[in-house]
Amino acid sequence: SLILAMLILISVAWPLQKAEWGEGLPPLILLILTGAALAFILNKRLPPILCHALAVALGAFIILILATLVTPGQGFLSRMINLFWEIGIWIYAVQSGEIQGGNIEFIILLLGLFWTMGYMTVWQVLRHHQWWATVLPAGMVLMLTLYNLPEDFYFYFAIYLALSFLLIAHITIGRRQEQWQKSYIPLSTPLRFFHLTFVLVFILVGVLIAWEIPSINAAPLSSAINRLGAPWSFVEYQFG
């Protein structure tokens, strides 16, 4: 489950990284894996509130360091000062209703988003065995990303869809088997065979859908993406 969840997030981050949004954008995949590793280490070792507080603090520190490194300046301290100055100017411009180009601010937004997704995905999978916490946020981010990318990038949506089918099937069947074991229902060979067949059919459907999407007229997908583009247009306006 964890591997599939990470692959889903990578399939979302990869087109964004490949499109080179944000000058000097740090590697989002590395940030996702770092947040995921933190959730894996903290899971069931500390109270949830303390885990989340540590994740927020460490995430903010890492994002601050990465944002400082991509900020123009002669040295690290100079870059950090310029970073806070840039953020202050951008906040003032937003409050004044002006359009202020915010490359650094946009990078910070992306870093915070993918850190949160990496951490919460592993937390939900390990702690609650939930697939929606991975599939739904990742799908929304991918659709909003594709809103401003050429149709050639729609192939990543096919990859995301296939991986999502696999994750849903894996978690759903794993839950069902746990329920049967708790109810002392023996897992006979025919029952195991039925489960295996169900998984294979589910995977086949996902792969077929993913295979056909690139060859289908992109207009329906484009229409769906455009309808989801309003929030992204607001982000574009705010960040220039």
Side-chain angles (χ1 to χ4, degrees), residues 94-132:
V94 172
Q95 291 177 345
S96 302
E98 301 174 2
I99 298 178
Q100 174 73 28
N103 179 65
I104 301 299
E105 293 79 2
F106 183 64
I107 288 177
I108 293 174
L109 173 66
L110 292 179
L111 294 178
L113 176 63
F114 280 93
W115 169 267
T116 303
M117 290 174 62
Y119 173 81
M120 290 305 300
T121 288
V122 174
W123 181 270
Q124 290 292 334
V125 170
L126 290 179
R127 196 99 175 183
H128 305 292
H129 303 288
Q130 298 283 0
W131 57 263
W132 61 264

Side-chain angles (χ1 to χ4, degrees), residues 129-220:
H129 303 288
Q130 298 283 0
W131 57 263
W132 61 264
T134 301
V135 174
L136 298 184
M140 291 295 297
V141 173
L142 181 59
M143 294 288 279
L144 293 175
T145 300
L146 295 178
Y147 174 69
N148 277 341
L149 293 179
E151 293 181 359
D152 296 341
F153 284 85
Y154 288 179
F155 175 74
Y156 290 97
F157 183 78
I159 298 176
Y160 154 81
L161 196 60
L163 292 172
S164 297
F165 271 112
L166 294 177
L167 180 64
I168 294 172
H170 181 73
I171 290 181
T172 302
I173 292 177
R175 276 179 158 186
R176 186 62 58 84
Q177 290 181 346
E178 289 181 359
Q179 291 175 356
W180 286 344
Q181 289 176 355
K182 290 179 180 180
S183 302
Y184 300 100
I185 299 177
L187 295 177
S188 60
T189 300
L191 189 58
R192 293 180 183 272
F193 178 77
F194 172 78
H195 271 185
L196 179 61
T197 304
F198 178 80
V199 171
L200 291 176
V201 171
F202 208 79
I203 292 174
L204 180 61
V205 171
V207 171
L208 288 176
I209 293 176
W211 183 268
E212 289 297 327
I213 282 180
S215 61
I216 297 175
N217 186 347

Side-chain angles (χ1 to χ4, degrees), residues 82-95 105:
N82 292 339
L83 171 63
F84 285 108
W85 180 260
E86 171 71 21
I87 293 176
I89 294 176
W90 177 79
I91 292 176
Y92 176 79
V94 172
Q95 291 177 345
E105 293 79 2

Side-chain angles (χ1 to χ4, degrees), residues 143 146-147 151 154 217-228:
M143 294 288 279
L146 295 178
Y147 174 69
E151 293 181 359
Y154 288 179
N217 186 347
L221 183 57
S222 299
S223 177
I225 292 174
N226 290 334
R227 282 195 293 269
L228 290 174

Side-chain angles (χ1 to χ4, degrees), residues 224-236:
I225 292 174
N226 290 334
R227 282 195 293 269
L228 290 174
W232 193 252
S233 299
F234 175 78
V235 172
E236 284 184 319

